[in-house]
Amino acid sequence: MIDLLTAPFVEFAFMRRALAGCVALSVGAAPVGVFLTLRRMSLMSEAMSHAILPGAAVGFLWAGLSLPAMTLGGLVAGLAVAMLSGLVARSTVLREDASLAAFYLISLAGGVLLISARGSSIDLLHILFGTVLALDDDALVLLGGISTVTLIGLAVAYRPLVMECVDPLFLRSVGRASGPVHYAFLALVVLNLVGGFAALGTLLAVGLMLLPAITARFWAVDLSGLLPASVVLALMASVAGLLVSYYASLPTGPAIVLAAGALYLASMLLGPRGGLVWRLIPARHLEA
């Protein structure tokens, strides 16, 4: 049994690289997903994952399947969409979610059009769904750097982020940190989506960010438990997805996200914090 779990990683360097990339992505993206869910911004991350596509497409058209060019393009496009949607929301009658939806739909359509016009269907699939089994040294350095920056950023902004999750109006009333913290957090979201794009592609990058964070709610009740639980669940999904894709010859990115989805469904049934099975068990009368 142990050999089945360890043999692919012992025998093949590409599996070790894929595992290292997923570990880096899990450590950085999953905590960001926890704050997204607490701030009721889960669907925003889905929109942002599509918003980076035109920048990645421009990088692809400029330098081919070059990770630095596509990463830089995706980062610029994601930050631009985030800032523009916030500016439109503050300058017009539109709310931020509506302006973000408009910008991300334009970005997604433009990115697909750019890639389709100059590339092949293989190139489009590569960008949309990623190639986690083909991560090289540059990709691993990128993912490790993004994870490090994310953890440092969350540590620095931890208190205002928590305050904004609990009472954003109070944070705005006691100082001017609300705006800078909000935009810094959006930058971390975009940064992790760009990292996820390198491994899982544009359409699946958000899966490893949100699913473990949502699942953690069934295992912990506060941030001191939610943050480590989300990381552990993301790591479990990564390992399970890599093994399933190896033995069943399935696409790796979707296998990882589906493994995270399976953990969510199992936790929804069996999780000690509000799982359906536990809710069916009657509580003892006057139990403390």
Side-chain angles (χ1 to χ4, degrees):
M1 183 64 181
I2 299 298
D3 289 340
L4 289 176
L5 298 177
T6 60
F9 303 108
V10 172
E11 295 178 11
F12 300 104
F14 70 88
M15 290 293 290
R16 293 194 295 272
R17 289 175 179 273
L19 179 61
C22 289
V23 168
L25 189 61
S26 299
V27 170
V32 170
V34 170
F35 284 104
L36 279 171
T37 57
L38 291 178
R39 298 175 69 182
R40 296 176 175 86
M41 296 170 63
S42 301
L43 293 180
M44 189 217 75
S45 62
E46 176 69 19
M48 293 305 303
S49 70
H50 299 321
I52 68 176
L53 184 57
V58 171
F60 166 75
L61 295 179
W62 180 263
L65 292 175
S66 168
L67 180 64
M70 294 171 67
T71 298
L72 180 61
L75 184 61
V76 171
L79 290 175
V81 168
M83 300 307 170
L84 284 173
S85 63
L87 180 63
V88 169
R90 285 162 175 76
S91 306
T92 68
V93 296
L94 285 180
R95 295 180 60 181
E96 190 167 13
D97 60 338
S99 60
L100 181 61
F103 278 115
Y104 108 74
L105 288 170
I106 296 170
S107 299
L108 178 61
V112 172
L113 186 63
L114 283 173
I115 299 170
S116 300
R118 292 286 299 275
S120 65
S121 59
I122 302 283
D123 297 325
L124 182 61
L125 288 175
H126 172 87
I127 291 175
L128 292 179
F129 298 105
T131 52
V132 66
L133 295 182
L135 295 179
D136 55 15
D137 290 340
D138 291 338
L140 292 180
V141 170
L142 172 69
L143 291 173
I146 289 174
S147 178
T148 302
V149 170
T150 300
L151 293 178
I152 293 174
L154 291 179
V156 171
Y158 182 79
R159 292 188 65 182
L161 278 175
V162 173
M163 290 175 63
E164 194 166 34
C165 290
V166 176
D167 192 347
L169 293 179
F170 174 75
L171 181 61
R172 295 172 189 171
S173 65
V174 298
R176 299 180 179 179
S178 177
V181 167
H182 177 70
Y183 284 113
F185 179 70
L186 287 182
L188 289 180
V189 173
V190 173
L191 198 60
N192 279 275
L193 289 174
V194 169
F197 156 79
L200 302 179
T202 302
L203 296 183
L204 297 176
V206 71
L208 205 57
M209 178 183 289
L210 283 184
L211 280 171
I214 297 170
T215 306
R217 298 295 297 272
F218 292 106
W219 298 94
V221 293
D222 55 25
L223 273 174
S224 63
L226 287 172
L227 293 176
S230 67
V231 173
V232 170
L233 288 164
L235 292 174
M236 291 172 61
S238 297
V239 174
L242 286 170
L243 290 173
V244 169
S245 70
Y246 174 79
Y247 286 112
S249 299
L250 296 174
T252 308
I256 292 174
V257 177
L258 284 176
L263 288 174
Y264 164 72
L265 294 176
S267 299
M268 183 174 61
L269 292 173
L270 304 174
R273 301 293 182 180
L276 295 177
V277 171
W278 291 97
R279 286 180 176 271
L280 294 177
I281 301 176
R284 296 177 182 176
H285 183 59
L286 300 180
E287 184 179 27

